[in-house]
Amino acid sequence: MSTIETIILALIQGLTEFLPISSSAHLILPSQLLGWVDQGLAFDVAVHVGTLLAVMIYFRQEVSSMFVAWGNSIVKKQHNQDSKLAWWIIFATIPAGLFGLLGKDFIEDNLRSAAVIALTTIVFGLLLGFVDKTSKQNKTIDSLGFKGAMYIGLAQAVALIPGTSRSGITMTMGLMLGLSRDAAARFSFLLSIPAIAMAGSYLTLKLILEANGVDWEAIALGASIAFISAYACIHYFLILLDKVGMMPFVIYRLVLGAFLIWFIV
């Protein structure tokens, strides 16, 4: 890949990983419109590492508190809200892991078309807009409960369908359960940590097994840009969310989906 391709693709991954607008819908555009070749496994690993570091560092206090509390819940049988949240995230990650393991080949073979991505971009965008306008949005993460966390975990599994948007569908489910916009976004971001880690680990294993040469300069550049853009995205998204709501992202998804349909037709 050229330097400009590396920069653009890393920016796309860093921004769309956490915005409710679907990374897969955006990552097909450079290849389809510009004829760019696939970025390769090594680059995929790099941008996953960059986005994972971004969300872990941004939420470092929450992650640290949950990790310590989770350990105490096992060793000392002491439970508090942080340990509960840690367990909710662990169990809520299981559906996506199982669905990914069992359905990976089917998804790769049947659901990665531009038509599917255009449809899911529009449908789940409309759902996000409807829920944002009609839900109560008066609950905090602490009031989510195990059952609510599992509902969001199941929604995350649906995001394996390209174009759905992992962050978009988990925030949608959080809003449906009555979480405030900020709480829904924060839980979605925390839930992304094991999800991104699993995806990155799988890609790393594939990379090791392939044993091809690696362009370390492109890897370092891609990881750095993905980290910076993802960190900035999380920070400003949380600041703007209560002010602008989800509607700008809904409109963007509808426009993007319509453009994809126009392009493939």
Side-chain angles (χ1 to χ4, degrees):
M1 289 190 301
S2 67
T3 300
I4 189 65
E5 289 177 24
T6 299
I7 293 172
I8 291 175
L9 289 173
L11 277 172
I12 290 174
Q13 181 65 41
L15 293 174
T16 60
E17 182 68 45
F18 298 110
L19 292 178
I21 55 177
S22 174
S23 59
S24 56
H26 289 78
L27 289 171
I28 71 166
L29 292 177
S31 61
Q32 295 289 326
L33 297 179
L34 304 175
W36 290 0
V37 298
D38 182 80
Q39 60 266 34
L41 276 175
F43 185 81
D44 286 342
V45 171
V47 294
H48 274 80
V49 169
T51 54
L52 179 62
L53 288 175
V55 68
M56 289 187 68
I57 291 175
Y58 190 88
F59 291 102
R60 58 192 177 277
Q61 293 182 340
E62 291 91 337
V63 170
S64 177
S65 297
M66 284 192 298
F67 183 78
V68 171
W70 177 75
N72 287 335
S73 73
I74 296 175
V75 177
K76 300 179 181 179
K77 307 300 181 184
Q78 296 177 352
H79 296 276
N80 58 22
Q81 193 56 47
D82 285 329
S83 67
K84 290 179 182 178
L85 180 56
W87 282 112
W88 295 346
I89 289 173
I90 290 171
F91 280 104
T93 302
I94 294 175
L98 287 177
F99 287 10
L101 183 64
L102 298 176
K104 174 178 63 66
D105 292 337
F106 177 82
I107 292 170
E108 289 288 336
D109 295 338
N110 300 281
L111 300 180
R112 294 199 66 84
S113 67
V116 170
I117 292 173
L119 179 63
T120 52
T121 297
I122 292 173
V123 170
F124 288 106
L126 289 172
L127 180 61
L128 174 61
F130 174 77
V131 172
D132 187 51
K133 288 296 184 182
T134 60
S135 59
K136 294 180 179 179
Q137 301 181 22
N138 57 4
K139 294 183 180 179
T140 64
I141 292 178
D142 292 349
S143 62
L144 181 62
F146 176 77
K147 184 184 292 186
M150 290 305 297
Y151 281 135
I152 298 177
L154 288 169
Q156 180 172 249
V158 175
L160 291 169
I161 302 173
T164 303
S165 172
R166 192 212 63 82
S167 59
I169 193 66
T170 52
M171 289 181 202
T172 299
M173 180 57 73
L175 293 173
M176 289 177 66
L177 294 171
L179 291 180
S180 67
R181 289 171 180 156
D182 182 78
R186 288 179 180 274
F187 188 81
S188 172
F189 293 152
L190 292 172
L191 187 61
S192 75
I193 294 174
I196 298 173
M198 284 194 305
S201 298
Y202 170 73
L203 293 172
T204 300
L205 178 60
K206 287 185 65 176
L207 178 63
I208 293 172
L209 294 176
E210 284 191 0
N212 291 329
V214 175
D215 183 352
W216 291 108
E217 183 177 344
I219 296 304
L221 179 61
S224 300
I225 292 175
F227 168 79
I228 294 170
S229 58
Y231 191 95
C233 174
I234 295 171
H235 179 70
Y236 289 108
F237 179 75
L238 290 174
I239 291 176
L240 294 173
L241 187 56
D242 282 331
K243 297 179 181 179
V244 302
M246 295 292 186
M247 199 50 60
F249 304 102
V250 173
I251 294 172
Y252 180 83
R253 287 184 67 126
L254 297 181
V255 172
L256 176 62
F259 173 78
L260 289 172
I261 292 174
W262 171 83
F263 178 75
I264 61 179
V265 170

